[in-house]
Amino acid sequence: MLINALDQSIFSKHVITMHEGDSGFRSHLNDDVSYFCLDYRRRNAPASLFRLFRYLRSEKIDVLHCHMYHAAVKGAMVGRLAGVSSILVSEHGKNTWKNSWSRFIERHVVSRWTVLRVAVSEDIRRIRIEQDGVPENTIELMQNAVNTSVTPVDAEKIPKRLGSLGRFVDAKDFPMLFRAIRQLRDRGYEVELEIAGDGVERKNMEHSLDELGLGGVVHLPGIRNAHEFLSSIDLFVMSSKREGVPVSMLEAMAHGLPIAATAVGGIPEVIEHGRDGLLSSAGDPDGLADNIAMLIEDENLRVMLGSNARAKAVERYGIDSIARRWEGLYMRVLSISDPGAKAV
């Protein structure tokens, strides 16, 4: 986890979650990281926000780093009242669901009371500027980080076991991936697919599998440990129609997996087609199937793409290197608002 890698001699570190269900990662936090859950529900919103206010005041938090819209709105208002020196927001998605009221709050609450926003991709950064009215000089780019201290897979063996990892939501477009797998099976490739994750689209996905006759070919085992899952597959695939920079893809790169993905969102900012992986258009099962078939057939291509992807992940997206960049950013905003502060 990125917060574990922040220098404890400089920062007092805290993690605040909205719900207890968000705390699956709690066991992975280092002993020097404090944890606090708001247990936020609509019915107890005032009490939860007051608990947040008291915590920010009692712990003398100087930097409040919020992730995504809803946390940003609450954090901006309560953090301001609690006297937090600097409020930052990380932008992870396109937020296509926003209506005019959401954008009004975005401009007049979040933008007004936050010192800086950080987007995980240039694609998302441009959307915030052009659609949400975020001033260009108040939003920067900072990539996601992953653990690169993993053993790379053997990309030489012929891929039989394909894998994907993510929430079962419409943006991932897994039914399109199923159609690509159906094509590959019809062409004679004896591949299987496993998707680790869960979500609201599970029933629709299961229905699609039944329609395509892929019940024994595609497996949906639920949520799995990412490292164990990625170490067990031969090839990583993504079929998304909307993305930021998916952490699962960066983790696959760190494992040296050959990757076939769609060229959406921030993915082309990370994957260079023909160098780190193969890209196809969103909603195109033919193109995705062709790229997967190419990786199955060409061992030299698999090895080259997997090796290049891992090298890029280590160089650009390793936790330690990204943590040093975050430390520099925190210190920069603190030096402007409160030179003596250091609680994050």
Side-chain angles (χ1 to χ4, degrees), residues 275-311:
R275 177 174 174 79
D276 316 299
L278 298 181
L279 300 178
S280 56
S281 300
D284 180 12
D286 297 344
L288 184 57
D290 288 344
N291 282 345
I292 294 172
M294 193 182 308
L295 291 171
I296 293 173
E297 296 285 352
D298 193 333
E299 177 185 327
N300 291 332
L301 179 64
R302 288 196 307 274
V303 172
M304 180 195 75
L305 295 179
S307 176
N308 288 345
R310 174 167 168 76

